[in-house]
Amino acid sequence: MESNRIQNLKNQAISSILEAQSDEELEELRIAYLGRKGRITQLLKEIPSLSPSERKEIGQLANDAKNAIEQALADSKRAQVAKEIDIDKEWLDVTAPGKRPSVGHLHLVTEAIQEITTIFEKIGFTRVAYPEVEWDWYAFEGLNMPENHPARDEWETLYIDHLENKKYGHAVLTPHTSSGQLREMKRLGKPPIRMLNIAKCYRRQSDVSHAPMFYQFEGLVIDKGINITHLKGTLDYFAKQYFGPNRKTRIRPFHFQFTEPSIEVDVSCDICQGKGCRLCKQGWLELGGAGMVHPIVLKNGGIDPEKYTGFAFGWGVERVLMMKAGLKIDDLRLLYTNDLRFLKQF
Ligand code: PHE
């Protein structure tokens, strides 16, 4: 079987298609070439019996011919349809309402980040962003969690292979925004500090209330005479601004290596109104931790703990977003599936 034969067959088919006058004729041609016993179909059937080298070349040509003929048939059908429409009988209703182009909007999480930023900027916080790929020292060691400290286990950290710094240790995908505390202390050199660090964080976890990539926002305030009442006041201010006056918050004693004392802050669940549901379990959703900055952390950041004190808090952006009035999202991971049917609702 030579390639010329295939070429001729293709040309023949296409010129007959171009000359065809009706749908019926086109259908006959389709059967003659591409039907079950059609000439191209026969040709394709012979291919397996060819030698391997021929098989490749002939196979390619035969397939090209098949595609070209299919395309010619489709084009002719379209032309046929166009001919049948009588332009004089067509009319255009210029008063009919137009089709609106669909308008997009910012992603829910982006909107939440903007809102949180505005709330904290009003009370003098400066928004910063620090690396997502971070050194161990900033994420753990400098935060009073030396290597092999059991507290590290809580962060289910993703390590980066073969990337290490002599002074700062292994590279990790930052598991929390607390790494920004040390970076901000070093950046400014001395208080006053009022930082709002919003960044992507990564952990090895995935369920209805956890995604492997999520956002945290971290507040850090350091100055002379800062005490826990300033922390409490800041948390209350945020809760009122963001959730509205009807939502309840509570604080519980907790433990973090980098704060002393440490607390955890919860907000009442808006989905079940505090009764308990698939998302929150007991009516409260954990927003995240907070506490007074540990003297060791201040020292590591180059700040004299005898002179200055500070507080810090670190919460999940998606968490606060889900707990906000009116939003009934019962699986946090929906935020990142990029399904327009979900996103368009908001
Ligand atoms: N970094 C902690 C976490 O990811 C939260 C936290 C931030 C706790 C600041 C105390 C102070 O869980």
Side-chain angles (χ1 to χ4, degrees):
M1 185 183 349
E2 10 44 287
S3 44
N4 275 348
R5 206 180 108 210
I6 303 176
Q7 209 61 37
N8 287 340
L9 201 58
K10 178 174 98 178
N11 292 342
Q12 215 180 57
I14 292 178
S15 66
S16 318
I17 291 168
L18 289 177
E19 279 163 21
Q21 295 296 325
S22 65
D23 271 359
E24 292 74 43
E25 256 179 82
L26 285 174
E27 181 57 11
E28 274 165 30
L29 286 165
R30 189 190 66 76
I31 294 169
Y33 287 95
L34 305 175
R36 211 146 43 89
K37 295 204 176 112
R39 299 171 72 178
I40 296 286
T41 315
Q42 291 298 340
L43 215 147
L44 287 166
K45 275 189 199 151
E46 288 169 32
I47 288 169
S49 60
L50 299 176
S51 73
S53 61
E54 255 189 325
R55 206 180 296 159
K56 185 155 181 249
E57 194 202 334
I58 302 291
Q60 183 117 42
L61 278 171
N63 262 320
D64 287 349
K66 178 171 171 247
N67 292 338
I69 295 170
E70 274 172 353
Q71 187 62 50
L73 280 166
D75 290 348
S76 300
K77 277 219 176 107
R78 239 172 273 135
Q80 207 79 32
V81 172
K83 247 193 269 163
E84 282 160 18
I85 298 176
D86 185 343
I87 293 296
D88 291 339
K89 288 196 196 125
E90 295 289 304
W91 62 285
L92 182 68
D93 180 0
V94 292
T95 65
K99 275 192 197 141
R100 280 185 188 282
S102 55
V103 181
H105 62 78
L106 291 175
H107 191 276
L108 283 176
V109 173
T110 309
E111 284 173 351
I113 289 172
Q114 288 181 346
E115 193 178 346
I116 293 163
T117 304
T118 308
I119 290 172
F120 283 106
E121 278 177 351
K122 277 191 199 153
I123 55 169
F125 281 72
T126 301
R127 166 92 186 268
V128 297
Y130 285 118
E132 284 171 40
V133 178
E134 183 55 284
W135 300 117
D136 182 289
W137 190 84
Y138 288 96
F140 291 116
E141 180 108 30
L143 291 175
N144 197 25
M145 283 183 276
E147 225 182 315
N148 301 323
H149 193 287
R152 286 179 172 222
D153 294 352
E154 285 158 39
W155 276 269
E156 311 206 51
T157 309
L158 295 154
Y159 284 81
I160 312 254
D161 280 348
H162 314 301
L163 190 57
E164 219 174 323
N165 178 293
K166 273 211 189 75
K167 198 161 153 211
Y168 294 114
H170 237 93
V172 299
L173 292 183
T174 198
H176 56 174
T177 42
S178 297
S179 48
Q181 292 188 22
L182 291 161
R183 289 206 172 258
E184 184 73 349
M185 291 181 213
K186 288 193 169 204
R187 182 178 77 89
L188 291 177
K190 65 178 181 34
I193 293 175
R194 268 186 231 171
M195 170 199 85
L196 180 69
N197 175 30
I198 309 187
K200 284 177 180 163
C201 300
Y202 301 83
R203 294 185 198 175
R204 251 189 93 242
Q205 52 188 14
S206 177
D207 59 44
V208 288
S209 54
H210 297 93
M213 188 286 292
F214 58 99
Y215 282 88
Q216 278 190 343
F217 60 107
E218 181 107 1
L220 174 71
V221 172
I222 302 176
D223 209 341
K224 282 191 176 130
I226 295 292
N227 62 49
I228 202 158
T229 63
H230 299 118
L231 168 58
K232 184 73 167 58
T234 307
L235 301 181
D236 285 347
Y237 160 79
F238 175 76
K240 282 209 175 69
Q241 293 280 313
Y242 189 78
F243 297 111
N246 295 331
R247 301 296 290 284
K248 282 187 264 178
T249 55
R250 68 174 184 186
I251 60 176
R252 289 177 280 115
F254 205 72
H255 173 262
F256 292 105
Q257 282 294 112
F258 37 94
T259 46
E260 183 56 42
S262 304
I263 56 173
E264 221 171 30
V265 184
D266 299 339
V267 63
S268 58
C269 178
D270 187 49
I271 292 181
C272 63
Q273 307 302 327
K275 283 190 213 81
C277 66
R278 180 166 106 101
L279 178 70
C280 68
K281 298 187 180 89
Q282 272 142 20
W284 295 94
L285 198 88
E286 170 205 322
L287 291 178
M292 300 304 293
V293 182
H294 199 292
I296 290 180
V297 177
L298 289 173
K299 223 185 276 169
N300 288 341
I303 287 171
D304 184 354
E306 298 296 329
K307 273 205 204 139
Y308 297 102
T309 48
F311 68 76
F313 57 88
W315 296 358
V317 172
E318 297 84 356
R319 293 269 172 105
V320 298
L321 168 64
M322 287 196 303
M323 288 293 96
K324 201 173 158 71
L327 272 186
K328 310 245 186 252
I329 306 170
D330 65 1
D331 188 340
L332 180 144
R333 292 166 299 182
L334 275 171
L335 291 169
Y336 296 116
T337 49
N338 289 336
D339 185 335
L340 287 181
R341 289 168 305 175
F342 171 76
L343 294 173
K344 273 182 178 168
Q345 300 174 79
F346 303 101

